[in-house]
Amino acid sequence: MKRVIAVANQKGGVGKTTTAVNLAASLTATKRRVLLIDLDPQGNATMGCGVDKNSQARTSCDVLLGDCGAVEALVGVEYGGFMLTSENQDLTAAEVRLLNMTVGREIKLRSALSSVREDFDVILVDCPPSLNMLTLNALVAADSVMVPMQCEYYALEGLSALLQTVEQVRDSINPALEIEGLLRTMFDPRNNLANEVSAQLLEHFQDKVFRTVIPRNIRLAEAPSFGKPALFHDKESRGALAYLALAGEMIRRDESPAPPV
């Protein structure tokens, strides 16, 4: 396992940042070297890792704009053991600067990560909840896209738009981009609609849907306020165990032999 994974969904509130933070901690627990890049101007992933987003000398913004090398922006996460490039609202200004560039604006992140890719087994990029220039940079830099989503009607509509964007990026600038998998989050099996949407996902996307399901869990919701991944807030909680299971599923997928062509 050695790749860059963009955690993306233009719909907000689907557990994207929760997935990025907790998956980073879970993969680290399996002895993988992990870097989490906060590419959301809200800086929620940064805060969820217990890092003060307003006190960092170098951030993802500086890396993206070429004001510093990626290694200069690395911050060690106390609870989790992985590395982080933090973010704050400065990234909004960075996006404006990117939009004003005429050449190479969509490959800034890919270029910046080239110096540290070999230092990590997995680089997770927490994307903003929109299909903007920041998300485009993440998709161009990534080897694959993980899509956290709730099993509800509007989520299916958003998924369609995201997959179209992935296809456009694949056709134009990053032909190797793949779908890492669709992750069902905040799942409540008592909800009939959730079960129906889940069944549709499995029918249409088959093995691209992770078998691991992330449940609604109060410990997952609480953990960011303590600045910890759920694994360090309550390691026995259903949420923490689910993300450990997801990490295990990813590793098994990676290690299983490819089917014959």
Side-chain angles (χ1 to χ4, degrees):
M1 177 180 285
K2 201 171 196 60
R3 58 183 176 273
V4 178
I5 302 173
V7 184
N9 192 329
Q10 74 273 26
K11 188 176 186 299
V14 298
K16 178 178 52 61
T17 298
T18 297
T19 293
V21 171
N22 286 284
L23 182 57
S26 296
L27 286 169
T28 302
T30 68
K31 309 303 182 185
R32 267 66 183 177
R33 298 168 300 166
V34 180
L35 168 61
L36 172 58
I37 299 175
D38 190 349
L39 209 61
D40 186 344
Q42 297 175 89
N44 288 338
T46 299
M47 294 186 294
C49 292
V51 175
D52 183 353
K53 66 180 181 180
N54 295 313
S55 66
Q56 304 306 309
R58 294 296 191 182
T59 67
S60 301
C61 173
D62 300 304
V63 174
L64 196 61
L65 294 176
D67 295 335
C68 75
V71 70
E72 297 174 63
L74 298 181
V75 179
V77 175
E78 179 181 0
Y79 296 103
F82 54 91
M83 301 301 289
L84 169 78
T85 58
S86 63
E87 199 39 72
N88 54 36
Q89 61 272 17
D90 292 345
L91 200 54
T92 302
E95 185 184 5
V96 175
R97 286 177 60 182
L98 287 174
L99 288 170
N100 289 329
M101 294 179 183
T102 55
V103 178
R105 59 188 181 182
E106 67 282 342
I107 64 170
K108 288 292 186 180
L109 184 61
R110 182 166 73 182
S111 300
L113 290 181
S114 61
S115 62
V116 297
R117 278 197 66 145
E118 293 305 311
D119 298 330
F120 297 96
D121 298 309
V122 183
I123 299 177
L124 297 169
V125 185
D126 183 32
C127 299
S130 58
L131 295 176
N132 57 17
M133 184 55 64
L134 299 175
T135 302
L136 179 60
N137 261 268
L139 294 178
V140 171
D143 300 303
S144 60
V145 188
M146 177 178 288
V147 187
M149 58 181 296
Q150 288 180 265
C151 289
E152 57 182 31
Y153 173 73
Y154 289 119
L156 289 175
E157 297 241 319
L159 175 61
S160 176
L162 177 60
L163 293 180
Q164 287 177 10
T165 300
V166 169
E167 193 63 37
Q168 290 168 359
V169 171
R170 187 185 290 139
D171 289 343
S172 60
I173 196 167
N174 187 5
L177 184 62
E178 299 178 346
I179 300 296
E180 180 75 24
L182 308 180
L183 178 66
R184 292 162 288 176
T185 59
M186 292 182 269
F187 190 79
D188 184 350
R190 298 169 298 180
N191 185 312
N192 289 334
L193 178 60
N195 287 312
E196 290 173 10
V197 173
S198 177
Q200 290 180 39
L201 287 174
L202 289 167
E203 179 182 351
H204 289 96
F205 296 100
Q206 300 176 12
D207 60 352
K208 285 300 182 183
V209 181
F210 285 109
R211 274 8 190 195
T212 303
V213 177
I214 309 301
R216 284 196 178 275
N217 181 248
I218 188 64
R219 295 303 190 202
L220 276 179
E222 287 176 348
S225 65
F226 290 90
K228 301 176 182 179
L231 190 60
F232 292 85
H233 177 52
D234 183 353
K235 64 180 181 181
E236 300 297 331
S237 65
R238 291 194 306 135
L241 293 174
Y243 278 108
L244 282 172
L246 175 63
E249 182 177 352
M250 291 173 65
I251 292 167
R252 287 192 302 275
R253 281 187 177 190
D254 198 57
E255 293 176 348
S256 62
V261 177

